Amino acid sequence: MDERKETGGDSGQGGAGGAPPLPFRAAVEALRGARLRTQIEVDPAPAPKRLAPYAYALEAAVVDGEEDLADGRLVLLYDPDGHDAWRGTFRLVTLVRAELEPEMAADPLLPDVCWSWLTGALAARGLTYGEPSGTVTRASSHYFGGLSARPAASQIEIRASWTPREGLGGAPDAAAHLVAWSDLLAQVAGLPPAAAGDASVVTLPQRRGPQSR
């Protein structure tokens, strides 16, 4: 499945459709109870409706005072019947973005390094997964005319998806995948590795329930 389609799509409330299946509910509750470092702010977000029968989305930002150093979106997809391309019933889809320093933007190895940050974050948390795919895009903006006073800016964008290994009860360790994803977000933002105990309980507002078609 195309990564840009996976991380985009329609958003909003799904149909009523009854209670979501237990594995999906367990995965969503795990996401809501994950412990992340204090610099990362997380909120529920509208989930795409057309990618899977059930979906749940989060948005996060790495915040330093009044400045957002990086931001991203993580979507949990679930299809009880499985999906040939996923080779499983769950899929995690992400978009991560950050502004770059000029010297980093000029590094020809930057896309490879950013992809290794994703796979390394998952490996560092001891997570197993399958069918990873994605893109790393580096973009530059130059300003002219009335905007010429602005300095040139560069941005990195990582779009990726992977199939988390399912555990007992059919649900993956969604909390661990969220923590690994937050590690990636922090690394893209340029934060040092988290010190032991530098975490806080993430309590996600119950603005929306799990999404279903």
Side-chain angles (χ1 to χ4, degrees):
M1 186 177 295
D2 181 76
E3 299 309 319
R4 294 187 179 272
K5 291 182 180 178
E6 285 198 7
T7 51
D10 285 347
S11 61
Q13 301 249 23
L22 182 58
F24 180 69
R25 283 184 283 154
V28 170
E29 288 306 312
L31 290 175
R32 289 174 173 161
R35 299 177 62 89
L36 307 181
R37 58 194 295 172
T38 54
Q39 298 97 329
I40 298 179
E41 297 182 355
V42 184
D43 287 296
K49 296 185 294 184
R50 299 181 181 179
L51 301 181
Y54 302 94
Y56 184 78
L58 299 171
E59 291 179 345
V62 181
V63 179
D64 180 16
E66 297 296 321
E67 182 181 6
D68 286 1
L69 302 179
D71 63 81
R73 178 178 172 90
L74 185 68
V75 180
L76 175 72
L77 302 177
Y78 177 62
D79 187 338
D81 296 328
H83 196 293
D84 290 342
W86 303 353
R87 295 182 181 266
T89 59
F90 282 92
R91 188 75 169 170
L92 284 163
V93 184
T94 185
L95 165 66
V96 171
R97 296 172 298 200
E99 298 295 323
L100 295 175
E101 295 294 333
E103 58 272 17
M104 179 177 288
D107 187 343
L109 297 178
L110 180 65
D112 301 272
V113 170
C114 288
W115 184 256
S116 73
W117 285 349
L118 169 61
T119 58
L122 294 169
R125 296 290 174 177
L127 295 169
T128 55
Y129 58 94
E131 306 305 314
S133 61
T135 62
V136 177
T137 304
R138 174 173 42 191
S140 297
S141 298
H142 299 265
Y143 300 95
F144 301 92
L147 300 177
S148 60
R150 294 187 184 182
S154 297
Q155 185 183 70
I156 195 73
E157 180 180 274
I158 303 170
R159 293 177 181 263
S161 64
W162 63 94
T163 299
R165 181 180 179 181
E166 296 167 17
L168 296 176
D173 189 349
H177 281 271
L178 174 57
V179 172
W181 178 74
S182 74
D183 292 340
L184 167 67
L185 197 62
Q187 192 161 17
V188 170
L191 296 185
D198 183 17
S200 61
V201 176
V202 176
T203 303
L204 299 177
Q206 192 75 24
R207 295 193 313 210
R208 301 179 178 88
Q211 307 296 305
S212 66
R213 277 201 301 231

